[in-house]
Amino acid sequence: NGVIYAMKSNDKPNYFFSYDTGLNTWTQLTNDSIPPFDSLLTNGVGKLKKIYVKDGAAMVNDGSVIYATKGGGYNFMWMYTPGVGWARVESVPRLHKKSVIKTGGAMTFANGGIYLLKGNKSPEFWKYIPSPSAVASVRPSTVSATMVEHTTTATDFSFGVIPNPFTKLAAIRYNIPVSGKVTIKLYNLTGNLIETIINEYMQAGTYTTNISTNYLAKGIYFLRYESLTNQADIKIIIQ
């Protein structure tokens, strides 16, 4: 809408600015600074930590909203709606310890999708499909392979893990029929909370979120999905 948006790295408040091309002026959006808090897994437990915009951060718009990553070795992604504010969206999957957004991280928008490079000497290439009715992340390509994408419109609730049992990495796949607050939590066999995987407002659609065993011992765990309209539990087995 004739406005340029910019974020400033290496400053703790996560400064966010707008530039009016008509008035030729910059304005600091104090009330719309990029939120510093993200849910971070520490010692097997999810907790909030201040994450600031750093090296490798990137920002792009799809014509109506802005998507941004903070870089600095994290894969969190946020969405900014002018006049509304920021909201967390699904993080870019992390495949291994160094699979994070850092130096060289970049995003662009084309043909209805956001394409992302993590930088950090990584060949990973990801596509994110933003839409009110269909949101999905896809598996990364290798250097020579073609990236495969998958997205459907959610009309009925579903919640599953593929594969199950699994050894190192599995995909949590779920359809959200109605937009609203969604939580997905991981519990051990005795009912103790291990990690809060998702805890945010989400648009209706189909989602895929990866779960890794890097911090988990072999055994039986439970995933619990809760929203305003649905609740489900799944037993998962890590071999």
Side-chain angles (χ1 to χ4, degrees):
N1 297 327
V3 177
I4 295 172
Y5 292 89
M7 55 185 178
K8 188 177 181 182
S9 65
N10 292 322
D11 275 315
K12 289 187 176 181
N14 281 342
Y15 290 125
F16 191 53
F17 295 87
S18 67
Y19 177 78
D20 191 308
T21 56
L23 298 176
N24 193 30
T25 57
W26 283 97
T27 301
Q28 181 182 343
L29 303 176
T30 305
N31 295 328
D32 282 348
S33 295
I34 304 173
F37 290 101
D38 283 285
S39 179
L40 185 68
L41 185 68
T42 304
N43 296 326
V45 179
K47 67 177 184 179
L48 291 177
K49 181 180 179 180
K50 286 186 176 181
I51 306 296
Y52 299 112
V53 176
K54 290 186 177 181
D55 189 23
M59 190 163 63
V60 69
N61 79 84
D62 67 356
S64 58
V65 298
I66 293 170
Y67 294 84
T69 55
K70 295 181 178 180
Y74 296 97
N75 289 345
F76 302 114
M77 188 158 76
W78 288 80
M79 177 182 74
Y80 177 76
T81 305
V84 177
W86 290 95
R88 267 287 305 278
V89 296
E90 184 179 0
S91 297
V92 185
R94 181 172 180 172
L95 303 183
H96 50 79
K97 186 176 181 180
K98 293 185 178 180
S99 175
V100 293
I101 301 171
K102 215 168 181 180
T103 306
M107 290 194 296
T108 190
F109 178 80
N111 298 325
I114 293 172
Y115 293 83
L116 180 143
L117 292 169
K118 288 186 176 179
N120 200 27
K121 299 182 180 179
S122 170
E124 292 178 38
F125 186 43
W126 291 86
K127 181 180 180 182
Y128 182 81
I129 306 173
S131 169
S133 60
V135 181
S137 65
V138 298
R139 297 179 183 275
S141 69
T142 62
V143 175
S144 59
T146 300
M147 180 169 58
V148 178
E149 65 181 67
H150 171 73
T151 180
T152 58
T153 300
T155 55
D156 298 310
F157 170 73
S158 67
F159 180 53
V161 176
I162 301 174
N164 189 21
F166 64 100
T167 302
K168 294 183 179 180
L169 189 69
I172 307 171
R173 297 180 179 175
Y174 46 106
N175 284 354
I176 302 175
V178 180
S179 301
K181 180 70 175 294
V182 172
T183 63
I184 297 178
K185 298 181 179 181
L186 177 68
Y187 295 87
N188 62 18
L189 191 58
T190 60
N192 294 319
L193 177 65
I194 302 299
E195 179 189 2
T196 298
I197 299 173
I198 298 292
N199 181 24
E200 58 193 72
Y201 182 94
M202 302 183 76
Q203 298 288 345
T206 300
Y207 293 79
T208 300
T209 301
N210 288 341
I211 179 172
S212 171
T213 63
N214 290 340
Y215 61 95
L216 298 173
K218 295 180 180 180
I220 298 175
Y221 297 83
F222 291 90
L223 280 173
R224 174 168 296 169
Y225 173 101
E226 290 185 347
S227 68
L228 291 176
T229 56
N230 300 98
Q231 179 175 326
D233 293 298
I234 292 177
K235 180 174 72 174
I236 62 175
I237 301 173
I238 299 176
Q239 298 178 331

